Amino acid sequence: MANRWIDPEEIRRAINLLKPNNEIYECRIINRYGKILSGYFRGSDKLIEALARQNLEGCNVYFTLQKLHEGVEARLQWERLIDPGKLPTTADDNVIAYKYLPVDVDPVRPAGISSSAEELEAAERVRQAVLDYMTENGYTSRIEAFSGNGYHILFRLPEAVRKSGDAAWHTKNALSWLNEMCSTKAARVDLTNYNPARIFKLYGTLAQKGRNTADRPHRMARIEKVVDW
């Protein structure tokens, strides 16, 4: 079961890598008008089935990256994607541990549009600068990915940082430092990804910002490389 907005095998690969041991996560869909669908899942099969039933035209699909409290499994949007209305979605205090340092490099462009090829080249140069700096400082365990409009690097955090109550503070400082060291006028490290409940683009889904044009097409998010994982 599939539709033209998802790549089921890429979704399965992403969930297997980033949510091992049947770890729970939230999937959140946001359409072009800001309407939200939310669902909680384990593994990839039920998620893929739920996504395949949706008309995802004009929608972007995200998931929670860090480790969630097991109790969220009891929320009403379990194993289905629904309009949450006044139902809770993932909040910072639902996250019980940081697992990844998420670096999102996006080209500088007007809001609400997809990236051009030239803008992606600028973002790739910043991503390489981040990789060079982080690997020189011992952060080799990582996933490199294409978000559809920029580039992600998900670094596996050391156990000491994961268990630290200051993990959000460490993440915020790390992103600030990487932005200062590596960002350019053409592409920047996103500084907003430090909060625990931050949602991230789900790999294997189409990035749909603005109109799908020849110069600024909608592209599929995907994992590109897995290193020392």
Side-chain angles (χ1 to χ4, degrees):
M1 186 164 30
N3 60 38
R4 63 190 175 91
W5 300 286
I6 66 172
D7 178 343
E9 289 308 310
E10 186 65 14
I11 293 172
R12 187 169 287 110
R13 181 187 184 209
I15 296 301
N16 287 344
L17 284 167
L18 292 163
K19 299 296 174 182
N21 304 315
N22 223 24
E23 187 177 301
I24 195 169
Y25 59 93
E26 181 192 357
C27 175
R28 200 177 304 168
I29 300 172
I30 305 175
N31 77 5
R32 57 168 62 102
Y33 305 111
K35 181 180 178 181
I36 294 173
L37 297 178
S38 167
Y40 287 90
F41 300 88
R42 293 184 189 273
S44 57
D45 290 346
K46 294 291 186 181
L47 171 64
I48 292 167
E49 291 174 8
L51 288 172
R53 288 193 291 267
Q54 298 293 323
N55 178 352
L56 295 175
E57 183 172 4
C59 297
N60 286 287
V61 184
Y62 305 90
F63 74 122
T64 51
L65 196 58
Q66 310 297 353
K67 188 171 184 179
L68 302 187
H69 191 288
E70 292 289 308
V72 298
E73 183 176 2
R75 286 183 172 163
L76 290 175
Q77 58 267 53
W78 176 246
E79 291 188 340
R80 57 185 181 147
L81 291 163
I82 63 172
D83 180 348
K86 294 184 178 180
L87 296 174
T89 56
T90 304
D92 284 349
D93 61 4
N94 299 148
V95 175
I96 60 173
Y98 268 72
K99 297 178 69 177
Y100 312 111
L101 168 62
V103 181
D104 180 8
V105 179
D106 273 325
V108 175
R109 66 194 192 282
I113 62 173
S114 297
S115 300
S116 68
E118 183 179 16
E119 288 165 348
L120 286 175
E121 289 175 3
E124 171 59 25
R125 288 192 288 272
V126 172
R127 178 174 72 163
Q128 190 58 54
V130 171
L131 281 170
D132 291 345
Y133 178 82
M134 291 294 285
T135 55
E136 286 172 6
N137 285 275
Y139 284 82
T140 58
S141 180
R142 66 188 186 272
I143 289 174
E144 300 174 31
F146 176 60
S147 71
N149 288 304
Y151 295 95
H152 292 170
I153 318 168
L154 306 179
F155 292 100
R156 190 192 295 273
L157 286 171
E159 197 68 25
V161 175
R162 290 191 197 188
K163 294 181 177 179
S164 169
D166 295 325
W169 180 85
H170 285 298
T171 301
K172 184 176 183 179
N173 281 355
L175 293 177
S176 179
W177 181 249
L178 290 172
N179 177 60
E180 184 176 336
M181 292 281 293
C182 304
S183 290
T184 66
K185 291 181 179 180
R188 306 190 64 80
V189 172
D190 190 335
L191 295 175
T192 65
N193 290 318
Y194 66 88
N195 68 298
R198 177 66 55 172
I199 52 175
F200 238 56
K201 183 68 179 174
L202 178 62
Y203 310 117
T205 65
L206 194 65
Q208 301 179 75
K209 287 194 174 181
R211 295 190 302 114
N212 183 23
T213 68
D215 291 339
R216 297 181 179 277
H218 294 166
R219 304 175 180 90
M220 191 70 73
R222 63 185 184 276
I223 290 173
E224 296 183 320
K225 186 183 293 187
V226 181
V227 180
D228 293 342
W229 203 252

